[in-house]
Amino acid sequence: MPYLVGQRVMLREYRMEDVELIQGWVNDLETTRFLDGAVFLYPRSIQQTRSFVEENARSGGPSFIIAHRDSEEYIGQLELTQVDYRHGVASLGIVIGGKGCRGKGYGTEAIGLSLQFAFRQMNLNRVELWVREDNEAALKCYRSCGFVEEGRRRKCYAADGSRKDLILMGILRDEWERKV
């Protein structure tokens, strides 16, 4: 997978030296509280994290490490999943694992690089994502990248002792092209 290089970040392949940095956040409830899936309900062992990195290193799919441009040091992860080439659609997932890297615009820049890749290299027409209504930082980031709210799954997510809406957001290629 080629590097995608921005002003401050790059999207690069998974490497074995990323295992310890990923393990550093994968069992941290503050980091995983907005992530979906049963994988984050229970502590993950270092071997499980190592297997995850090995699989991503082998797969060659649109799954990237977000890294500092100059040092290539790990910041987080980004992936395009559920890619449907027939209809030109993919789902986006992102996490900024390093607590010291949050709120600095790295996620916004990484999403911009991934949209360029999705629309220009993968020839997709739409990228979408789901986000919890109470994940204010992510909502702000996605909106600044051009994603718009398209719908909601009301009270379908149990978190923090209450029910939350999941918001469907999407961006189309022509919307992205007008923005860049």
Side-chain angles (χ1 to χ4, degrees):
M1 188 65 55
Y3 292 125
L4 304 171
V5 181
Q7 298 272 323
R8 299 180 307 140
V9 303
M10 68 167 47
L11 301 184
R12 64 163 173 78
E13 80 285 356
Y14 279 76
R15 299 175 183 163
M16 291 313 295
E17 59 260 30
D18 299 323
V19 170
E20 287 186 30
L21 294 165
I22 293 170
Q23 185 66 22
W25 69 261
V26 77
N27 293 324
D28 177 59
L29 292 176
E30 181 184 333
T31 302
T32 61
R33 73 180 284 234
F34 291 115
L35 300 180
D36 193 21
V39 71
F40 298 110
L41 289 178
Y42 309 102
R44 306 297 290 176
S45 70
I46 190 72
Q47 183 54 47
Q48 289 170 311
T49 303
R50 188 173 290 112
S51 295
F52 170 81
V53 171
E54 287 170 353
E55 177 59 31
N56 275 287
R58 264 194 310 273
S59 75
S63 189
F64 302 97
I65 292 295
I66 304 166
H68 290 280
R69 177 186 169 159
D70 297 329
S71 67
E72 299 188 17
E73 183 179 328
Y74 175 93
I75 294 172
Q77 294 151 239
L78 182 146
E79 64 182 346
L80 295 167
T81 63
Q82 302 172 357
V83 179
D84 181 341
Y85 286 102
R86 179 176 180 212
H87 299 293
V89 177
S91 293
L92 175 80
I94 185 171
V95 63
I96 301 299
K99 289 182 183 181
C101 295
R102 295 185 196 139
K104 297 185 177 184
Y106 295 137
T108 301
E109 185 174 343
I111 290 170
L113 290 171
S114 73
L115 292 175
Q116 178 178 335
F117 180 76
F119 295 135
R120 292 197 175 144
Q121 275 72 44
M122 297 176 73
N123 197 32
L124 299 179
N125 185 58
R126 171 187 171 78
V127 176
E128 62 189 25
L129 57 86
W130 288 96
V131 60
R132 270 180 31 191
E133 68 179 331
D134 58 336
N135 191 343
E136 294 173 18
L139 285 164
K140 180 180 176 187
C141 173
Y142 300 146
R143 287 180 181 124
S144 74
C145 291
F147 284 83
V148 296
E149 183 175 333
E150 297 178 337
R152 285 178 179 253
R153 292 180 61 205
R154 298 177 301 138
K155 308 294 183 213
C156 71
Y157 196 95
D160 303 325
S162 65
R163 294 259 168 208
K164 313 287 184 198
D165 290 0
L166 283 180
I167 300 171
L168 173 63
M169 300 184 83
I171 185 169
L172 303 176
R173 182 192 336 220
D174 62 340
E175 294 168 339
W176 174 80
E177 286 173 344
R178 285 193 300 269
K179 189 170 171 42
V180 291

